[in-house]
Amino acid sequence: MFEKLKSAFSSAAQTLTERSLSEKELAELMAKLELDLIENDVAFDVVKGITDRLKVELQEEKIRRRSDMAHLVKTRLKGSIQAAFSNVETIDIFERIEATRRESDRRPFVVLFLGVNGSGKTTTVAKFAKLLANKGFSIVISAGDTHRAGAIEQLSEHSGRLGIKLVSQRYGADPAAVARDGVNYARTHKIDVVIIDTAGRMQTSTNLMDEMAKIVRVVKPDLKIFVVDALTGNDAISQATKFLEFTGFDGVVLTKVDADAKGGAALSIVSETKKPILYLGIGQEYDDLVPFIPETFVSNLFENSS
Ligand code: GDP
């Protein structure tokens, strides 16, 4: 996973070991690192943040031995990446659901899934429902995508296979009403979690984004999860920024990481939105949803680099 981004970091450390650092050379090396990171889907502002800091730190250090320099570069780069992740709060979803379940009025915990068409939202809804079912929570899914042809049938197939109740209306119905139906059903039947699928809003369409904001107002979700396709590179960042503005999501699922995603999107989304990545989608099966662990992501990137 994320092999290309990993090799960009290791190549920066490697190249520096082989040179003595004149001003000009330092500038050239930083330019190469910048290019490598941009090619690996790290957003420009994030790249600038990393290399500007590294430049200052390298200029301040009086390193004679090449191996010391390699170690320094690796440590500083790793520090920059770790800092990006440590600024972000983590969310213990299961604990939050448990806490809601302990409340006396036993309202359901409401999770809203957001993201553009094709990002893997519906598949992730099904994977997440299975994950919660495995943990012993009762679940209802709301088919809030009333726009895309086939979306309701797709969810109905998933929920049938998983043995999970689906609440739906006809195509063209108000998504906020479908979402509310799900919440009402859960209240009546004392169900722990409502998972709401939504239509794939293009972030450039203001009307559609407003409609999404309306669903948020109506059902007041406990957790809003933004689903984004890691393969979309820089567009993933602009989607994330726009969705954050309109919906104020709480966390992210990065999908299709199995399909040669470069890894920069993970770093950039966290740096730009300050929201945690909760899970990675690593395939098309129900169990292909794994928790994202920042420490593992960072140590994988720097594993074996000298
Ligand atoms: P939606 O339009 O956002 O609801 O997207 P879908 O859930 O319909 O997914 C679009 C396509 O991406 C489908 O073919 C899914 O099987 C596929 N997909 C979703 N998540 C993943 C993933 O993590 N890895 C891979 N390889 N494919 C995925």
Side-chain angles (χ1 to χ4, degrees):
M1 242 182 258
F2 304 135
E3 283 306 315
K4 289 179 186 154
L5 184 60
K6 177 177 166 179
S7 76
F9 287 128
S10 105
S11 136
Q14 206 68 51
T15 325
L16 281 165
T17 65
E18 290 157 10
R19 298 184 184 207
S20 62
L21 284 180
S22 69
E23 268 303 297
K24 183 164 168 277
E25 281 170 335
L26 182 62
E28 279 169 11
L29 291 169
M30 287 303 115
K32 178 175 183 313
L33 176 60
E34 283 174 7
L35 211 68
D36 280 352
L37 295 181
I38 286 168
E39 278 174 3
N40 279 287
D41 296 343
V42 183
F44 184 71
D45 290 349
V46 179
V47 171
K48 271 308 210 194
I50 292 173
T51 54
D52 285 353
R53 213 163 28 243
L54 189 60
K55 240 181 273 181
V56 171
E57 287 170 345
L58 291 180
Q59 275 160 348
E60 281 169 359
E61 299 281 343
K62 292 189 181 61
I63 298 279
R64 285 181 209 95
R65 287 209 328 239
R66 287 174 176 184
S67 58
D68 289 348
M69 177 56 85
H71 179 72
L72 178 76
V73 169
K74 185 180 162 186
T75 316
R76 294 289 195 252
L77 267 177
K78 197 170 174 178
S80 277
I81 313 298
Q82 268 162 342
F85 286 105
S86 63
N87 284 335
V88 171
E89 82 171 298
T90 51
I91 301 175
D92 186 337
I93 298 177
F94 306 130
E95 172 45 36
R96 286 189 49 192
I97 298 174
E98 285 289 0
T100 306
R101 196 150 70 160
R102 286 194 295 269
E103 287 171 11
S104 53
D105 68 344
R106 205 180 153 99
R107 66 185 179 89
F109 188 88
V110 180
V111 187
L112 183 70
F113 278 82
L114 308 151
V116 306
N117 266 341
S119 61
K121 201 166 8 73
T122 306
T123 311
T124 306
V125 163
K127 290 174 177 176
F128 185 67
K130 174 149 192 262
L131 188 74
L132 293 185
N134 288 347
K135 293 272 174 193
F137 296 112
S138 53
I139 299 141
V140 59
I141 301 176
S142 258
D145 183 353
T146 57
H147 293 266
R148 177 167 68 89
I152 300 174
E153 289 77 7
Q154 192 185 343
L155 256 188
S156 163
E157 209 175 301
H158 285 308
S159 61
R161 258 188 246 146
L162 294 168
I164 290 172
K165 167 75 184 171
L166 180 75
V167 169
S168 62
Q169 287 189 20
R170 64 186 196 292
Y171 286 103
D174 176 8
V178 184
R180 196 170 36 208
D181 280 358
V183 175
N184 289 340
Y185 182 93
R187 265 186 192 283
T188 313
H189 295 84
K190 304 208 177 322
I191 285 174
D192 299 323
V193 186
V194 185
I195 304 177
I196 303 168
D197 189 21
T198 57
R201 302 290 172 217
M202 280 315 298
Q203 74 275 21
T204 45
S205 166
T206 308
N207 281 347
L208 295 175
M209 292 303 282
D210 284 344
E211 191 179 299
M212 194 57 49
K214 179 183 168 194
I215 301 179
V216 172
R217 276 198 313 276
V218 169
V219 294
K220 299 185 182 54
D222 297 277
L223 188 65
K224 288 163 278 178
I225 299 181
F226 171 64
V227 178
V228 64
D229 177 344
L231 298 174
T232 56
N234 254 322
D235 193 47
I237 321 303
S238 72
Q239 287 174 29
T241 318
K242 208 69 190 162
F243 270 84
L244 185 67
E245 181 191 334
F246 276 85
T247 66
F249 62 75
D250 305 292
V252 179
V253 174
L254 198 60
T255 61
K256 308 187 195 178
V257 167
D258 53 307
D260 200 27
K262 291 169 180 164
L267 176 61
S268 302
I269 287 172
V270 170
S271 302
E272 302 269 309
T273 65
K274 309 280 183 274
K275 297 293 176 189
I277 294 177
L278 304 170
Y279 292 99
L280 299 178
I282 56 162
Q284 307 195 41
E285 304 299 324
Y286 291 129
D287 291 329
D288 292 332
L289 187 70
V290 295
F292 177 78
I293 321 260
E295 295 75 22
T296 312
F297 175 78
V298 175
S299 60
N300 277 346
L301 286 182
F302 290 93
E303 195 177 67
N304 301 329
S305 65
S306 49

